[in-house]
Amino acid sequence: PEKGPRMITATPLARQPPRWQQELAAGFARPAELLAALGLDAHDLRRAGLEVDLAAGVGAGTDFALRVPRAFVARMRSGDPHDPLLRQVLPLLAERNEVTGFGPDPLAESNATAAPGLLQKYAGRALLITTGACAVHCRYCFRREFPYGEHVAAGPRWDDAFDAIASDASIREVILSGGDPLSLSDSRLAQICARLTRIPQVQALRVHTRLPIVLPSRIDAGLCDVLESWHGALTVVVHSNHPRELDAEVARALRDLRTTGAVLLNQAVLLAGVNDSVEALEGLSLAMHRHGVLPYYLHLLDPVRGSAHFDVSETRGRELIDTLARRLPGFLVPRLAREEPGRPAKTVLAAGLDPT
């Protein structure tokens, strides 16, 4: 007998990773490819007085490799070796110079470990190292040599970190840090929030992240649902250094973050050749305000090995803050601060007009 028509059953398609993870995987990892995308090469950098480290890419061993999303590169000026966004991510041979006072652990965080993955520097709060991953490797990152393999609170270490938080009744706020905590999946972030919810004294959650700026597609409905489910006070501290980092997609991401009920703050690092001008800092404060974000800190550079060429003096920092205070309302002037190991709080150096 003839066979009837063959039944065709659909094979379930492999679940596609979310857009942000696809963009993360497609980022630039080789300096030569990044420069080519911007119409530059090592000779252009050399003529501009900059020596690019072409080896700081895939296969660079323990070196702090290049990593930058294409969405961030799209905001860079083609053909400009001094572009302030490019300068933040492009590895230079100057990073190999040994400079007195610049070392691998500039904030002595190894002395602040309360449990694996948990740092406690200041009263009333603790910082959870959630991951060593980040969407971008900023060349001035103070944790560029951090031993994440020993400290990330993952696997069985989660219990030790959460037990340490639960056993300290003084901890009212937990700060999610890394790496970048938003490099974690929604499900992992939800697990962290659920564990913290079961600790009665923890009433505030703070997330320190650069992803809304460099990879705004990370701010999607799933993430917003996780953040909105948090039961207490929620603060998201983003990290932007220059007004040109903010485009329409970043504005959308910040707007969506505001819908979660989070207070949005920005912290920046004062960087030579990037934002060490009144125009850049004023533009940053005004742009952030338009997007519902208030300035928080302007940090002097943490002296991590490999970053000395970004250093700006405290004197120059004070001058910039004083000038900003003459141009902007007080709530748009960030506090110039330095973090010093062992001190009970950050040292605020200027927060407006210097009375002296």
Side-chain angles (χ1 to χ4, degrees), residues 6-14:
R6 183 167 61 91
M7 298 295 294
I8 300 175
T9 57
T11 301
L13 295 175

Side-chain angles (χ1 to χ4, degrees), residues 247-262:
D247 64 1
E249 182 61 10
V250 173
R252 190 278 311 163
L254 296 173
R255 184 171 60 249
D256 288 353
L257 279 174
R258 292 203 309 274
T259 68
T260 68

Side-chain angles (χ1 to χ4, degrees), residues 66 172 234 250 263 310:
L66 170 72
R172 301 180 300 274
L234 176 63
V250 173
V263 173
F310 285 116

